[in-house]
Amino acid sequence: MPEISTPRRLLAEGLGTAFLLATVVGSGIMAERLAGGNAAIALLGNTIPTGAILVVLIVVFGPVSGAHFNPAVSLAFALRGDLTWSLFARYALVQFTGALLGVWAAHFMFDLPLWQVSTTMRAGPGQWFSEFVATFGLLVTILGCLRRAEASLPFAVGLYITAAYWFTASTSFANPAVTGARALSDTFAGIAPEGLTAFIAAQLAGAVAALLLATWLFKSPQERVARYAVGTE
């Protein structure tokens, strides 16, 4: 099979991340407007579209770029040797760029100012540990599916994030690009910039911890990730 070119991979990562953030922020705005002040209903209205779009995006873009849409996921694959460090840097760049464009698209669709800074404070040990757990679980889900149930990966990721919205105190950002972009949206999904450093540090730590566990737990001499990990350039 011919090698997929780097520009196609980068476009898939950027476009997929943009759609992800447009969904996260846009559904948050819509949910808050329609929930009548009921925070639980608003969160549910934010959760379901996010889980659903992840399934769609992974099915569509997985065969092209690996459908990471997440620097923490790309970092794990780079540490595994499934992604070159050069390509990792470019993946991270387009993921952050796509995330910002997705936020702006959501703002434009709902007639809000494009440039915003969130005032929603999300901080404290419980929130930080939640981000560690959320990202750890996400990476274990991805790596476990790649080892035993690759065809189920899109659905497993979508379902995991749907669940993690509700069992983590932070509502499971689990993604540095998502976290950074949500700091620029003063809407239901936002996070004040003061919380970024701790959230992202916890996410990266969770990703590395999951990789260490998965390397041992799912180890097999025959293991060869094909569809959702991108090989060398």
Coordinates of all heavy atoms in Angstrom, one line a residue, residues 98-134:
G98 N -5.7 23.6 14.7 CA -7.1 23.1 14.4 C -8.0 23.4 15.5 O -9.2 23.7 15.3
A99 N -7.5 23.1 16.7 CA -8.4 23.4 17.9 C -8.8 24.8 18.0 O -10.0 25.1 18.3 CB -7.6 22.9 19.2
L100 N -7.9 25.7 17.8 CA -8.3 27.1 17.8 C -9.3 27.5 16.7 O -10.2 28.2 17.0 CB -7.0 28.0 17.7 CG -7.2 29.5 17.7 CD1 -7.9 30.0 19.0 CD2 -5.8 30.2 17.5
L101 N -9.0 27.0 15.5 CA -10.0 27.3 14.4 C -11.4 26.7 14.7 O -12.4 27.3 14.4 CB -9.4 26.7 13.1 CG -8.2 27.4 12.6 CD1 -7.7 26.6 11.4 CD2 -8.4 28.8 12.3
G102 N -11.4 25.5 15.4 CA -12.7 24.9 15.8 C -13.4 25.8 16.8 O -14.7 25.9 16.7
V103 N -12.7 26.4 17.7 CA -13.3 27.2 18.7 C -13.9 28.5 18.0 O -15.0 28.9 18.3 CB -12.3 27.6 19.8 CG1 -12.8 28.8 20.6 CG2 -12.0 26.5 20.7
W104 N -13.1 29.1 17.1 CA -13.6 30.3 16.4 C -14.8 29.9 15.5 O -15.7 30.7 15.4 CB -12.4 30.8 15.6 CG -11.4 31.6 16.4 CD1 -11.5 32.0 17.7 CD2 -10.1 32.0 15.9 NE1 -10.4 32.6 18.1 CE2 -9.5 32.6 17.0 CE3 -9.4 31.9 14.7 CZ2 -8.2 33.2 17.0 CZ3 -8.2 32.4 14.6 CH2 -7.6 33.1 15.7
A105 N -14.8 28.8 14.9 CA -16.0 28.4 14.1 C -17.2 28.3 15.0 O -18.3 28.7 14.6 CB -15.7 27.0 13.5
A106 N -17.1 27.7 16.2 CA -18.2 27.6 17.1 C -18.7 29.0 17.5 O -19.9 29.3 17.5 CB -17.9 26.8 18.3
H107 N -17.8 29.9 17.8 CA -18.2 31.3 18.2 C -18.9 31.9 17.0 O -19.9 32.6 17.2 CB -16.9 32.1 18.5 CG -16.3 31.7 19.8 ND1 -15.1 32.1 20.2 CD2 -16.7 30.8 20.8 CE1 -14.7 31.6 21.4 NE2 -15.7 30.8 21.8
F108 N -18.4 31.8 15.8 CA -19.0 32.4 14.7 C -20.4 31.9 14.4 O -21.3 32.6 14.1 CB -18.1 32.2 13.4 CG -18.6 33.0 12.2 CD1 -18.3 34.4 12.1 CD2 -19.2 32.4 11.2 CE1 -18.7 35.1 11.0 CE2 -19.6 33.1 10.0 CZ -19.4 34.5 10.0
M109 N -20.6 30.6 14.5 CA -21.9 30.0 14.3 C -22.9 30.5 15.3 O -24.1 30.6 14.9 CB -21.8 28.4 14.4 CG -21.1 27.8 13.2 SD -21.2 26.0 13.1 CE -20.1 25.5 14.5
F110 N -22.5 30.8 16.5 CA -23.5 31.2 17.5 C -23.4 32.7 17.7 O -23.9 33.2 18.8 CB -23.2 30.5 18.8 CG -23.7 29.0 18.8 CD1 -22.8 28.0 18.4 CD2 -25.0 28.7 19.1 CE1 -23.2 26.7 18.4 CE2 -25.4 27.4 19.1 CZ -24.5 26.4 18.7
D111 N -22.9 33.5 16.8 CA -22.9 34.9 16.8 C -22.2 35.5 18.1 O -22.7 36.4 18.7 CB -24.3 35.5 16.7 CG -24.9 35.1 15.3 OD1 -24.2 35.2 14.3 OD2 -26.1 34.7 15.4
L112 N -21.1 34.9 18.4 CA -20.3 35.3 19.6 C -19.0 36.0 19.1 O -18.5 35.7 18.0 CB -20.0 34.2 20.5 CG -21.2 33.5 21.2 CD1 -20.7 32.3 22.0 CD2 -22.0 34.4 22.1
P113 N -18.4 36.8 19.9 CA -17.1 37.4 19.5 C -16.1 36.2 19.3 O -16.0 35.3 20.1 CB -16.7 38.2 20.7 CG -18.0 38.6 21.4 CD -18.8 37.4 21.2
L114 N -15.3 36.3 18.2 CA -14.3 35.2 18.0 C -13.3 35.2 19.1 O -12.9 34.1 19.5 CB -13.6 35.5 16.6 CG -14.5 35.4 15.4 CD1 -13.7 35.5 14.1 CD2 -15.4 34.1 15.4
W115 N -12.7 36.3 19.5 CA -11.7 36.3 20.5 C -12.3 36.5 21.9 O -12.9 37.4 22.2 CB -10.7 37.4 20.2 CG -9.5 37.4 21.2 CD1 -9.4 38.2 22.3 CD2 -8.4 36.5 21.2 NE1 -8.3 37.9 23.0 CE2 -7.6 36.8 22.3 CE3 -8.0 35.5 20.3 CZ2 -6.5 36.1 22.6 CZ3 -6.8 34.8 20.6 CH2 -6.1 35.1 21.7
Q116 N -12.0 35.5 22.7 CA -12.5 35.5 24.1 C -11.4 34.8 25.0 O -10.6 34.1 24.5 CB -13.8 34.6 24.2 CG -15.0 35.1 23.3 CD -16.2 34.2 23.5 OE1 -16.3 33.5 24.6 NE2 -17.0 34.1 22.5
V117 N -11.5 35.1 26.2 CA -10.7 34.5 27.2 C -11.6 34.0 28.3 O -12.4 34.7 28.9 CB -9.6 35.5 27.8 CG1 -8.8 34.7 28.9 CG2 -8.7 36.0 26.7
S118 N -11.5 32.7 28.6 CA -12.4 32.1 29.6 C -12.2 32.6 31.0 O -11.0 32.9 31.4 CB -12.2 30.6 29.6 OG -13.1 30.0 30.6
T119 N -13.3 32.8 31.8 CA -13.2 33.2 33.2 C -13.6 32.0 34.1 O -13.7 32.2 35.3 CB -14.1 34.4 33.4 OG1 -15.5 34.0 33.0 CG2 -13.6 35.6 32.6
T120 N -13.8 30.8 33.5 CA -14.2 29.7 34.3 C -13.0 29.0 35.0 O -12.2 28.4 34.3 CB -14.9 28.6 33.4 OG1 -16.0 29.2 32.8 CG2 -15.4 27.4 34.3
M121 N -12.9 29.2 36.3 CA -11.8 28.6 37.0 C -12.0 27.1 37.2 O -13.0 26.6 37.7 CB -11.7 29.3 38.4 CG -11.2 30.7 38.3 SD -9.6 30.9 37.5 CE -8.6 29.9 38.6
R122 N -10.9 26.4 36.9 CA -10.9 24.9 37.1 C -9.5 24.6 37.7 O -8.5 24.6 37.0 CB -11.1 24.1 35.8 CG -12.4 24.4 35.0 CD -12.5 23.7 33.7 NE -13.6 24.1 32.9 CZ -14.8 23.5 32.8 NH1 -15.0 22.5 33.6 NH2 -15.7 24.0 32.0
A123 N -9.5 24.4 39.0 CA -8.2 24.2 39.6 C -8.4 23.4 40.9 O -9.5 23.1 41.3 CB -7.6 25.6 40.0
G124 N -7.3 22.9 41.4 CA -7.3 22.2 42.7 C -6.8 20.7 42.4 O -6.9 20.2 41.3
P125 N -6.4 20.1 43.5 CA -5.9 18.7 43.3 C -6.9 17.7 42.7 O -6.5 16.8 42.0 CB -5.5 18.3 44.8 CG -5.3 19.6 45.5 CD -6.2 20.6 44.8
G126 N -8.1 17.8 43.1 CA -9.1 16.9 42.5 C -9.3 17.1 41.0 O -9.4 16.1 40.3
Q127 N -9.2 18.3 40.5 CA -9.3 18.6 39.1 C -8.1 18.1 38.4 O -8.2 17.4 37.3 CB -9.5 20.1 38.8 CG -10.7 20.7 39.4 CD -11.9 20.7 38.4 OE1 -11.6 21.0 37.2 NE2 -13.1 20.5 38.8
W128 N -6.9 18.3 39.0 CA -5.7 17.9 38.3 C -5.6 16.4 38.3 O -5.2 15.8 37.3 CB -4.5 18.5 39.1 CG -4.5 20.0 39.2 CD1 -5.1 20.8 38.3 CD2 -4.0 20.8 40.3 NE1 -5.0 22.1 38.7 CE2 -4.3 22.1 39.9 CE3 -3.3 20.5 41.4 CZ2 -3.9 23.2 40.8 CZ3 -2.9 21.6 42.3 CH2 -3.2 22.9 41.9
F129 N -6.0 15.7 39.4 CA -5.9 14.3 39.4 C -6.9 13.7 38.4 O -6.7 12.7 37.8 CB -6.2 13.7 40.8 CG -6.2 12.2 40.9 CD1 -5.0 11.5 40.6 CD2 -7.3 11.5 41.3 CE1 -4.9 10.1 40.7 CE2 -7.2 10.1 41.4 CZ -6.1 9.4 41.1
S130 N -8.1 14.4 38.3 CA -9.1 14.0 37.3 C -8.5 14.0 35.9 O -8.8 13.0 35.1 CB -10.3 14.9 37.3 OG -11.0 14.8 38.5
E131 N -7.7 15.0 35.6 CA -7.1 15.0 34.2 C -6.1 13.9 34.0 O -5.9 13.4 32.9 CB -6.5 16.4 34.0 CG -7.5 17.4 33.6 CD -8.4 17.0 32.4 OE1 -7.8 17.0 31.3 OE2 -9.6 16.8 32.6
F132 N -5.3 13.6 35.1 CA -4.4 12.5 35.0 C -5.2 11.2 34.7 O -4.8 10.4 33.8 CB -3.6 12.4 36.3 CG -2.7 11.1 36.4 CD1 -1.4 11.2 35.9 CD2 -3.2 9.9 36.9 CE1 -0.6 10.1 36.0 CE2 -2.4 8.8 36.9 CZ -1.1 8.9 36.4
V133 N -6.2 11.0 35.5 CA -7.0 9.7 35.3 C -7.7 9.7 34.0 O -7.7 8.7 33.3 CB -8.1 9.7 36.4 CG1 -9.1 8.5 36.2 CG2 -7.5 9.5 37.8
A134 N -8.3 10.8 33.5 CA -9.0 10.9 32.2 C -8.0 10.5 31.1 O -8.4 9.7 30.2 CB -9.6 12.3 32.0

